Amino acid sequence: AAAAGAAAALGTAAPGSASAAPRAGRAAAPDLGPNALVFDPSMSAESIQAKLDEVFAQQERDQFGSSRYALLFLPGSYRVDANIGFNTQILGLGLSPDDVTIDGTVHAEADWFDGNATQNFWRVAENLSVTPPSGGDRWAVSQAAPYRRVHLRGDLALDDNGWASGGFLADSRIEGQVNSGTQQQWFTRNSGLGSWAGANWNMVFLGTGGAPGDSFPEPPYTTVDRTPVIREKPFLYVDEGGAYRVFVPALRTDATGTSWENGTPRGESLPVEDFLIAQPGTPVAEINSALADGRHLLLTPGIHELDGTIEVTRANTVVLGLGLATLTPAGGAAALTVADVDGVKIAGILVDANEQSSPVLLVVGPEGADADHAANPTSLHDVFCRVGGRHAGRADVSLAINSNHVICDHLWLWRGDHGEGIGWDTNPAKYGLIVNGDDVTCYGLFVEHYQDYQVYWNGERGRTYFFQSEMPYDPPNQDAWMNRGTRGFASYKVDDAVDDHQAFGLGVYCFFNADPSVVSERAVEAPQKEGVRFRHLVTISLGGGTGTINHVVNDTGGAVTSGHTEENLVSYP
């Protein structure tokens, strides 16, 4: 009965519900929309649990549904079990993760898919401390499911006893052991670990204490001591007076460990009054007018069907989505463009291609951008693009980066291979990422199933730390997937004119299930120059050898196919 009552209260402001009015003496909460559910420590554990259970019951299997939720916990202590389903973000509203303490669990499971976590996408755990009563918790996920800024007082399992296909952990402290289990690949950045156990194909650690030593390919660990330049993701929080604010962490260089364990993090705190809070249906003209006037943008949970392109034109603008806020562009338009200005931060959004094709979904800097942003780069955090799955989306390019010095902090760019509107001619998409800017750095780059190159890099001094890519599953035959006279397209292409490029920890996979005789000649193509270097690469032919990749980089490295499904290359050249 309690669960049914919670279901009826979802999305309402009924007395005693999660979105009820604040207590006397606290600042008034902003209107974050009906699906931003705010929990207060004065609420009973039973009422909070009922609400969490109802959201999870709705979202557990709702991979391509229209609902989005942000579960927001005000500072304090809670005794709850938070099982996080699709299109759901759980977020502590403290300045430190330790301001919100969960004596319980915050976890992702794959029960809905018989323990197979390879489709556990689009969910977020962020800015909490968790003490699991059993001593351990589980975050069995694949792409677009970041575990950020979490202090876990226990162990963490990254699988659910079935396959899992990748993930992202950053700015977190795990006091116990992280066990990757059947995870095929994983990226850990600027964290502290008690220890790590497990390996499969491609495990990358960057600026992380307690990480295993660099040992690729036996076991396949890629460990880099310091993160060259990073800004952590902005986040919503509530200050000591009860006022809502957005904290924007400062830029760090040669960074190790978390941004928060040594006291108050460095950065800037912005009052929520400086933001336009956009609900689904807010006209783009209103959004752009606010941005032009110097305001920031907070996108509430939901699907924002845009009637134009959001245009970020001023330096230091913050665009922050809650609850995996989803932007669907107007037919033929980009969802969002950023001018060639300093310090823009785009965080927590999913761009879902429209059924009318867009030349590009998201653009950072106009073509020909050439300004120097080294002191204050633009950064993208938990930015995801999807072409197909919810409907037959179409877009030539998901993300184009033309500005210099951009930081990409967790991207998943995905041409759908399952769901609605899926097919070689149904959800066409050529490129996931095109980089034209110089000094662009990617941390945790996931790009999958595009029909030409997954990534095409034109800029100088590019750096990638962790790359996970699957080639398109569905070329109907070899003739349909030719790069002029070459069979197939590489996943990662560095243009022949580039003189300086480095990438660490790359995994490229094929699974040509429409025609297993299809061949891609190589996983990576790059000019053979002293300044162009790759370290620790693996290619896999999935499904026991369903398709062939002939070489790892250029004409170096053996083929993966039936009979030999895994090939490692320690370095190139």
Side-chain angles (χ1 to χ4, degrees):
L10 277 177
T12 73
S17 78
S19 50
R23 298 192 308 263
R26 297 188 66 90
D31 180 6
L32 300 176
N35 286 3
L37 308 180
V38 180
F39 299 100
D40 188 295
S42 68
M43 297 172 63
S44 71
E46 292 77 13
S47 65
I48 296 174
Q49 191 63 57
K51 184 73 71 172
L52 296 177
D53 290 346
E54 273 306 317
V55 172
F56 177 70
Q58 178 178 320
Q59 299 302 113
E60 180 183 13
R61 298 171 180 270
D62 200 29
Q63 183 172 172
F64 298 109
S66 59
S67 294
R68 305 285 185 272
Y69 284 96
L71 310 175
L72 308 176
F73 285 76
L74 288 166
S77 297
Y78 303 83
R79 190 177 297 276
V80 295
D81 167 29
N83 200 348
I84 307 302
F86 284 106
N87 301 308
T88 303
Q89 175 190 31
I90 183 169
L91 174 69
L93 291 176
L95 186 58
S96 164
D98 291 332
D99 292 339
V100 175
T101 60
I102 304 292
D103 292 318
T105 53
V106 173
H107 56 116
E109 309 284 348
D111 298 336
W112 73 279
F113 207 30
D114 298 324
N116 181 341
T118 59
Q119 293 183 27
N120 271 12
F121 311 140
W122 302 307
R123 62 198 75 200
V124 184
E126 192 169 357
N127 203 34
L128 304 151
S129 65
V130 183
T131 305
S134 67
D137 216 341
R138 186 189 316 278
W139 193 249
V141 298
S142 291
Q143 291 80 14
Y147 195 84
R148 277 189 186 268
R149 203 177 165 79
V150 175
H151 185 183
L152 177 64
R153 296 176 172 89
D155 301 329
L156 184 63
L158 300 180
D159 72 330
D160 197 7
N161 300 307
W163 284 111
S165 183
F168 179 93
L169 187 155
D171 203 25
S172 294
R173 175 67 180 172
I174 313 299
E175 292 190 2
Q177 182 180 81
V178 179
N179 193 318
S180 62
T182 56
Q183 275 289 348
Q184 296 168 352
Q185 62 276 317
W186 190 272
F187 179 64
T188 303
R189 179 186 61 68
N190 289 101
S191 295
L193 313 177
S195 62
W196 180 279
N200 200 340
W201 296 332
N202 180 26
M203 306 287 167
V204 179
F205 306 86
L206 182 61
T208 293
D214 191 66
S215 58
F216 186 90
E218 293 294 340
Y221 296 143
T222 300
T223 303
V224 180
D225 290 340
R226 294 178 178 273
T227 303
V229 57
I230 188 65
R231 175 191 291 124
E232 297 297 340
K233 179 185 177 183
F235 59 92
L236 185 70
Y237 79 104
V238 175
D239 68 15
E240 292 180 353
Y244 281 71
R245 306 179 71 88
V246 171
F247 190 78
V248 182
L251 198 68
R252 295 196 291 164
T253 57
D254 293 326
T256 61
T258 70
S259 66
W260 52 268
E261 285 185 272
N262 294 323
T264 302
R266 293 186 302 111
E268 181 183 15
S269 180
L270 305 173
V272 78
E273 291 78 15
D274 288 353
F275 287 74
L276 172 68
I277 300 176
Q279 311 284 349
T282 299
V284 169
E286 180 181 343
I287 293 172
N288 287 340
S289 177
L291 293 172
D293 286 343
R295 298 182 72 187
H296 307 282
L297 177 62
L298 189 65
L299 296 158
T300 62
I303 295 179
H304 298 251
E305 302 274 0
L306 304 179
D307 57 355
T309 298
I310 296 172
E311 298 174 350
V312 178
T313 59
R314 296 175 66 108
N316 301 311
T317 300
V318 176
V319 176
L320 177 61
L322 294 178
L324 293 113
T326 300
L327 306 179
T328 300
L336 187 149
T337 62
V338 180
D340 193 24
V341 295
D342 275 357
V344 173
K345 298 92 181 172
I346 310 293
I349 63 170
L350 168 62
V351 180
D352 201 357
N354 204 319
E355 294 182 63
Q356 292 176 268
S357 185
S358 294
V360 62
L361 295 177
L362 179 58
V363 186
V364 180
E367 292 184 13
D370 61 1
D372 186 322
H373 305 295
N376 186 14
T378 284
S379 53
L380 311 178
H381 312 267
D382 299 341
V383 171
F384 313 131
C385 293
R386 180 170 69 193
V387 183
R390 189 164 73 92
H391 51 229
R394 295 165 174 257
D396 286 345
V397 180
S398 285
L399 171 61
I401 298 176
N402 298 313
S403 287
N404 300 325
H405 304 101
V406 174
I407 297 170
C408 301
D409 178 36
H410 191 207
L411 305 177
W412 187 37
L413 313 175
W414 187 65
R415 174 182 168 259
D417 63 286
H418 63 275
E420 296 296 324
I422 301 300
W424 188 252
D425 298 316
T426 305
N427 63 324
K430 291 182 178 180
Y431 305 101
L433 171 64
I434 295 178
V435 179
N436 295 318
D438 294 336
D439 301 286
V440 172
T441 305
C442 289
Y443 304 110
L445 176 58
F446 301 76
V447 191
E448 296 188 299
H449 308 310
Y450 291 83
Q451 292 168 305
D452 285 20
Y453 298 107
Q454 310 299 304
V455 172
Y456 199 110
W457 209 296
N458 289 305
E460 289 289 352
R461 295 175 299 282
R463 299 290 184 267
T464 294
Y465 297 86
F466 184 92
F467 176 64
Q468 185 272 328
S469 179
E470 290 184 355
M471 294 175 171
Y473 287 176
D474 55 342
N477 51 61
Q478 190 70 66
D479 288 344
W481 199 50
M482 294 290 292
N483 183 7
R484 293 184 289 269
T486 300
R487 291 183 294 181
F489 290 81
S491 274
Y492 196 101
K493 169 71 174 180
V494 180
D495 189 79
D496 291 346
V498 171
D499 294 320
D500 187 319
H501 188 93
Q502 293 185 38
F504 305 78
L506 297 87
V508 177
Y509 316 102
C510 74
F511 181 65
F512 300 133
N513 60 351
D515 181 357
S517 70
V518 168
V519 174
S520 177
E521 288 297 337
R522 48 193 65 91
V524 176
E525 289 181 0
Q528 191 162 355
K529 299 178 181 179
E530 179 63 28
V532 178
R533 295 187 168 273
F534 295 86
R535 187 174 131 202
H536 298 181
L537 307 97
V538 59
T539 55
I540 303 286
S541 181
L542 298 168
T546 306
T548 298
I549 303 173
N550 263 347
H551 300 287
V552 182
V553 182
N554 296 338
D555 295 327
T556 300
V560 290
T561 189
S562 59
H564 180 70
T565 59
E566 178 177 346
E567 181 75 10
N568 295 296
L569 184 64
V570 174
S571 63
Y572 182 90

